[in-house]
Amino acid sequence: MMQLHAGPKPVVRSTMSSMVTEQIRDAILSGAYPPGMQLNEKLVAESCGVSRGPVREAIQRLLQEGLLVSEPHRGVFVLELTEDDLEDIYFTRDAVERAALRRIVQSGRGEELSVRLRAIVESMKKAVEEEEWTEVASLDIRFHSELVNAAGSRRLSRLFATLMAEMGLCLNQLLGVYSGRGRLIEEHEYLAELVASGDTEKLEKAMADHLQEPVETICNAWERARQENGKLAASGMEKG
């Protein structure tokens, strides 16, 4: 009689692939693999101390997440975010978070969620006071993830998690944004307050305003950096 699942299950391979995916993802988000860098499957496998199979699976997963891009006849590269990419990420975030807010208000779970969001804001206040901007960024993501997950939609949460992975690519720019946003705490407090009130119209407007400011600030920062790099390049040519 045929036995189903006879012999060892391929758990080790699956676990290895997940571990390699996490290592590559961390390298991308930390900047160890900078935007535009080409990933060499063989070199990554050697660096991780694994065969090329798990690396190949990890790359496919990160292509799906949007952290890597595949260019025909060239290879796989770490995503380089442009202003259009950033605007599209926030455009999608706006749609996802406002959909979550509508579901939360309709379900009557706003007051319970508001309590959790206020607790996160309190932690954010402390991090701002101590100028721990990496922690502020982490708490900001936690605030919005908590909000989206409260909608109770697995698909919405999965989509939001993918967006957060892409957001990690511009973390350095975001850190500068956090230190310059005087109303950061007030905006999150207002959102938590509105969640409890159940005023959908005010909630959607507040969320739209909240998500638009970082886009403009980061794009302006990128433009200033380009201008500065252009001046440095021109200065070098003159000296040469």
Side-chain angles (χ1 to χ4, degrees):
M1 180 182 295
M2 180 181 296
Q3 293 183 348
L4 296 178
H5 305 300
K9 298 178 181 179
V11 175
V12 174
R13 181 176 178 81
S14 177
T15 302
M16 183 65 70
S17 172
S18 299
M19 291 173 63
V20 173
T21 300
E22 185 175 346
Q23 288 188 37
I24 298 175
R25 185 189 295 112
D26 288 345
I28 293 171
L29 298 182
S30 69
Y33 289 174
M37 173 183 170
Q38 182 174 11
L39 259 64
N40 182 294
E41 194 177 283
K42 180 174 181 293
L43 294 179
V44 172
E46 292 176 353
S47 175
C48 294
V50 298
S51 65
R52 294 174 69 168
V55 173
R56 191 174 299 116
E57 293 173 14
I59 288 175
Q60 288 303 314
R61 172 67 181 274
L62 294 170
L63 283 169
Q64 293 174 357
E65 290 184 9
L67 294 180
L68 298 176
V69 292
S70 178
E71 298 186 11
H73 311 299
R74 293 194 63 214
V76 174
F77 299 81
V78 178
L79 176 66
E80 290 185 272
L81 287 176
T82 65
E83 282 88 345
D84 288 342
D85 291 322
L86 188 63
E87 289 177 359
D88 193 43
I89 289 171
Y90 273 91
F91 169 76
T92 310
R93 275 192 64 181
D94 180 69
V96 169
E97 296 196 49
R98 287 207 270 176
L101 287 171
R102 287 193 293 272
R103 170 74 69 87
I104 291 163
V105 170
Q106 291 169 3
S107 67
R109 294 193 294 265
E111 290 189 12
E112 179 185 344
L113 171 61
S114 180
V115 173
R116 298 198 299 273
L117 295 180
R118 290 175 192 273
I120 295 173
V121 174
E122 287 302 312
S123 297
M124 194 182 296
K125 280 182 183 178
K126 183 178 179 180
V128 168
E129 290 170 359
E130 297 176 354
E131 298 187 355
E132 295 287 346
W133 303 116
T134 301
E135 179 65 9
V136 174
S138 176
L139 288 166
D140 191 353
I141 291 174
R142 182 180 161 195
F143 179 98
H144 291 274
S145 296
E146 186 79 27
L147 189 154
V148 172
N149 291 336
S153 169
R154 292 192 303 273
R155 292 170 180 81
L156 206 63
S157 293
R158 188 165 60 238
L159 175 57
F160 189 76
T162 299
L163 290 171
M164 288 301 97
E166 290 188 89
M167 282 294 299
L169 288 173
C170 55
L171 180 60
N172 290 334
Q173 287 84 358
L174 278 174
L175 295 183
V177 172
Y178 286 121
S179 62
R181 290 184 68 186
R183 288 185 47 79
L184 179 69
I185 299 299
E186 288 82 353
E187 288 175 13
H188 284 89
E189 285 179 329
Y190 185 51
L191 285 170
E193 177 185 330
L194 287 177
V195 166
S197 74
D199 190 325
T200 305
E201 184 176 344
K202 285 186 178 179
L203 260 173
E204 292 195 25
K205 183 179 186 307
M207 182 62 74
D209 292 343
H210 176 68
L211 294 178
Q212 183 57 36
E213 184 181 349
V215 177
E216 296 173 353
T217 305
I218 294 173
C219 287
N220 289 337
W222 283 350
E223 179 60 29
R224 288 194 298 271
R226 280 194 295 267
Q227 292 177 358
E228 188 63 29
N229 290 336
K231 290 179 182 178
L232 290 174
S235 176
M237 292 177 63
E238 290 175 1
K239 292 179 180 179

